[in-house]
Amino acid sequence: AQSVTQPDIHITVSEGASLELRCNYSYGATPYLFWYVQSPGQGLQLLLKYFSGDTLVQGIKGFEAEFKRSQSSFNLRKPSVHWSDAAEYFCAVGTGTASKLTFGTGTRLQVTL
Amino acid sequence: EAGVAQSPRYKIIEKRQSVAFWCNPISGHATLYWYQQILGQGPKLLIQFQNNGVVDDSQLPKDRFSAERLKGVDSTLKIQPAKLEDSAVYLCASSPRKGTTDTQYFGPGTRLTVL
């Protein structure tokens, strides 16, 4: 069965600083990988996804992620964080059929001014 | 395009009571999902519908949880009787295509508190 590990429960960065959120997955085949963001009281919004092809994926709000098969990782990055980026970020892996997503436990991002 | 709608947004009940949640997916989306998100955890899939049929309900506690999607559009999730550990946010999501991993669009969720 697939699994996702987000090793950082909570990260604090200063506005304007760069950001990297870690995600490691476990899955026997080629994974489908996703990053979602959840603001307080809101549902999850898709930031970006990787299905195949270029391993560097661009998403909304200036986010990008890189798929590294050798490291089983799909880390999320942003070069300059804005205060509005403060939220909870979830990495997820999907299987090739049945559209079943398995989520990590999330990383809460705090942005200081 | 309207997003996934859920109601109510908040619900407080006592243990052993019953509760129901409603979800209206994005128009034309064939696949509908219910997730349970316990505080401090990621969402966990409870049940997946393809049109009005169940695709996966392996993690649904069937002794107390039930769900239906009678006309292949909106859906209800019911808990009867509720337990303290059912306190969570219940998220509904929908996706447009059949049988493939595709983008799931999430509603705002229903926050359930069981006292």
Side-chain angles (χ1 to χ4, degrees), chain B residues 38 40 76 80 85 104:
Chain B
I38 294 173
T76 56
Q80 182 179 10
E85 58 261 35
Q104 295 184 24

Side-chain angles (χ1 to χ4, degrees), chain A residues 32 34 36 38 41-46 49 51 88 90 94-106, chain B residues 9 33 35 37 40-43 45 48 55-56 58-59 91 97 99-109:
Chain A
Y32 299 111
F34 304 79
Y36 281 87
Q38 186 177 36
Q42 303 297 315
L44 280 75
Q45 180 184 21
L46 180 70
K49 59 186 178 183
F51 282 2
E88 186 112 26
F90 291 93
T95 60
T97 59
S99 307
K100 182 172 181 177
L101 291 184
T102 300
F103 285 86
T105 52
Chain B
R9 293 294 310 277
Y33 312 79
Y35 288 85
Q37 185 179 16
Q41 300 181 18
L45 179 68
Q48 176 187 350
V55 174
D56 183 351
S58 57
Q59 297 191 91
L91 296 165
R97 294 195 294 177
T100 61
T101 298
D102 201 354
T103 300
Q104 295 184 24
Y105 297 87
F106 285 80

Side-chain angles (χ1 to χ4, degrees), chain A residues 22-60:
Chain A
R22 296 183 290 167
C23 172
N24 292 95
Y25 69 89
S26 174
Y27 182 56
T30 300
Y32 299 111
L33 296 163
F34 304 79
W35 274 100
Y36 281 87
V37 61
Q38 186 177 36
S39 298
Q42 303 297 315
L44 280 75
Q45 180 184 21
L46 180 70
L47 286 175
L48 47 79
K49 59 186 178 183
Y50 171 78
F51 282 2
S52 64
D54 193 347
T55 57
L56 184 62
V57 180
Q58 301 298 319
I60 62 171

